[in-house]
């Protein structure tokens, strides 16, 4: 059975949201998803529709969103719907909404040196198999400095500082590039790579996103299995009490 995904793109044009949305659509269709692509935040208005999905892919930068829309998304993810995205399209979407930041796991605060910085993405050994087989690789793009949730599982990092700036007066730090977390029954996946479509099209980056989409979409089935098991236990318990 095909899974259902919703991609919502918009916000700052500098992140090439429409082009990246089409790349994501192609990846998901290759993985046998039914994909709806929208350029309106009103796509988040129907909570029941959102809960019927397997995956939400936001790609909206520096926008403003109604609080009820974020609540609708949050409740869908809590029920098992996955959410997965990249760069400013997910973790610089709505700077004034802390509920969004809490759910997604972090928020952009700086990219020292702006675009064109060459830096390393270092793959971490962790309990997650998501990045198995990938080696460290170089990127020439924006290097994202993020404020992030300590609950996330970090799958890849990059080391700061690469360029000079006030942050360089501190010791070197390893900043998350790829992470996962849970939100209720739902899986949350994020990669800070993806300033423009050419970065998303890199073989390493597109593979990371493909695996992230698939992993995030697994939460719905897990939630449904848990619900079936809970109902079975409840039924058995009723029988024992008679």
């Amino acid at each position: 059975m095909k899974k259902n995904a919703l991609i919502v793109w918009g916000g700052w044009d500098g992140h090439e949201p429409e082009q990246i949305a089409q790349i994501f659509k192609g990846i998901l269709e290759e993985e046998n998803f039914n994909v709806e692509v929208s350029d309106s935040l009103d796509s988040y208005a129907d909570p029941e529709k959102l809960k019927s999905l397997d995956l939400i892919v936001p790609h909206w930068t520096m926008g403003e969103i109604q609080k009820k829309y974020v609540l609708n998304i949050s409740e869908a993810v809590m029920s098992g719907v996955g959410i997965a995205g990249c760069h400013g399209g997910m973790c610089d979407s709505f700077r004034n909404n802390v509920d969004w930041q809490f759910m997604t796991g972090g928020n952009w605060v700086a990219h020292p040196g702006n675009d064109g910085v060459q830096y390393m993405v270092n793959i971490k050994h962790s309990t997650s198999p998501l990045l198995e087989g990938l080696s460290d690789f170089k990127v020439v793009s924006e290097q994202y400095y993020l404020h992030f949730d300590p609950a996330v599982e970090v799958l890849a990092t990059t080391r700061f500082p690469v360029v000079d700036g006030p942050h360089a007066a501190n010791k070197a730090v390893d900043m998350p590039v790829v992470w996962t977390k849970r939100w209720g029954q739902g899986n949350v996946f994020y990669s800070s790579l993806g300033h423009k479509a050419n970065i998303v099209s890199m073989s390493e980056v597109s593979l990371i996103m493909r695996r992230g989409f698939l992993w995030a979409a697994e939460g719905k089935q897990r939630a449904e299995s848990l619900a079936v098991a809970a109902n079975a236990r409840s039924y058995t318990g009723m029988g024992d009490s008679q």
Side-chain angles (χ1 to χ4, degrees), residues 14 16 25 41-42 51 53-54 56 60 68 105 107 134 141 156 158 174 184 192 200:
E16 300 180 350
K25 179 175 184 286
L41 293 176
D42 290 338
K51 288 178 182 178
L53 299 169
D54 296 280
I56 297 169
W60 197 291
K68 67 177 182 179
N107 196 58
L134 279 167
S141 183
T158 185
D174 290 322
S192 69
V200 175

Side-chain angles (χ1 to χ4, degrees), residues 94-168:
F94 312 113
R95 295 180 182 177
N96 292 328
N97 193 291
V98 293
D99 294 325
W100 178 266
Q101 295 162 24
F102 191 17
M103 176 179 62
T104 58
N107 196 58
W108 170 85
V109 294
H111 40 57
N114 300 313
D115 196 11
V117 173
Q118 179 174 287
Y119 63 95
M120 288 295 299
V121 175
N122 303 114
I123 307 301
K124 289 195 66 176
H125 296 292
S126 71
T127 60
S128 172
L130 270 177
L131 302 192
E132 277 186 5
L134 279 167
S135 300
D136 298 350
F137 61 96
K138 289 181 181 178
V139 177
V140 179
S141 183
E142 291 180 339
Q143 187 186 29
Y144 259 23
Y145 203 103
L146 298 132
H147 287 171
F148 64 96
D149 184 346
V152 302
E153 181 170 6
V154 179
L155 307 186
T157 62
T158 185
R159 177 155 290 189
F160 283 87
V162 171
V163 300
D164 198 16
H167 66 298

Side-chain angles (χ1 to χ4, degrees), residues 23-220:
I23 293 171
F24 288 166
K25 179 175 184 286
I27 292 172
L28 288 166
E29 287 180 339
E30 288 173 1
E31 297 295 341
N32 204 35
F33 279 74
N34 293 313
V35 184
E36 177 185 348
V37 179
S38 170
D39 64 353
S40 173
L41 293 176
D42 290 338
S43 297
Y44 298 136
D46 184 346
E48 295 310 311
K49 178 182 176 180
L50 294 178
K51 288 178 182 178
S52 74
L53 299 169
D54 296 280
L55 179 65
I56 297 169
V57 181
H59 199 73
W60 197 291
T61 307
M62 292 187 291
E64 294 186 4
I65 190 170
Q66 295 185 43
K67 289 184 178 181
K68 67 177 182 179
Y69 287 2
V70 174
L71 178 61
N72 290 346
I73 299 165
S74 176
E75 289 183 345
V77 177
M78 288 168 63
S79 75
V81 179
I83 186 168
C86 76
H87 201 65
M90 181 159 148
C91 282
D92 192 22
S93 294
F94 312 113
R95 295 180 182 177
N96 292 328
N97 193 291
V98 293
D99 294 325
W100 178 266
Q101 295 162 24
F102 191 17
M103 176 179 62
T104 58
N107 196 58
W108 170 85
V109 294
H111 40 57
N114 300 313
D115 196 11
V117 173
Q118 179 174 287
Y119 63 95
M120 288 295 299
V121 175
N122 303 114
I123 307 301
K124 289 195 66 176
H125 296 292
S126 71
T127 60
S128 172
L130 270 177
L131 302 192
E132 277 186 5
L134 279 167
S135 300
D136 298 350
F137 61 96
K138 289 181 181 178
V139 177
V140 179
S141 183
E142 291 180 339
Q143 187 186 29
Y144 259 23
Y145 203 103
L146 298 132
H147 287 171
F148 64 96
D149 184 346
V152 302
E153 181 170 6
V154 179
L155 307 186
T157 62
T158 185
R159 177 155 290 189
F160 283 87
V162 171
V163 300
D164 198 16
H167 66 298
N170 301 295
K171 65 179 182 179
V173 295
D174 290 322
M175 181 62 56
V177 172
V178 180
W179 69 62
T180 60
K181 67 174 286 186
R182 302 298 176 100
W183 190 253
Q185 297 293 335
N187 292 343
V188 179
F189 176 87
Y190 175 72
S191 168
S192 69
L193 303 166
H195 177 56
K196 292 183 180 293
N198 67 314
I199 300 298
V200 175
S201 296
M202 290 176 60
S203 59
E204 299 93 341
V205 178
S206 62
L207 178 59
I208 287 170
M209 293 309 303
R210 183 184 299 269
R211 290 183 180 180
F213 291 151
L214 293 174
W215 176 81
E218 291 173 358
K220 184 74 169 290

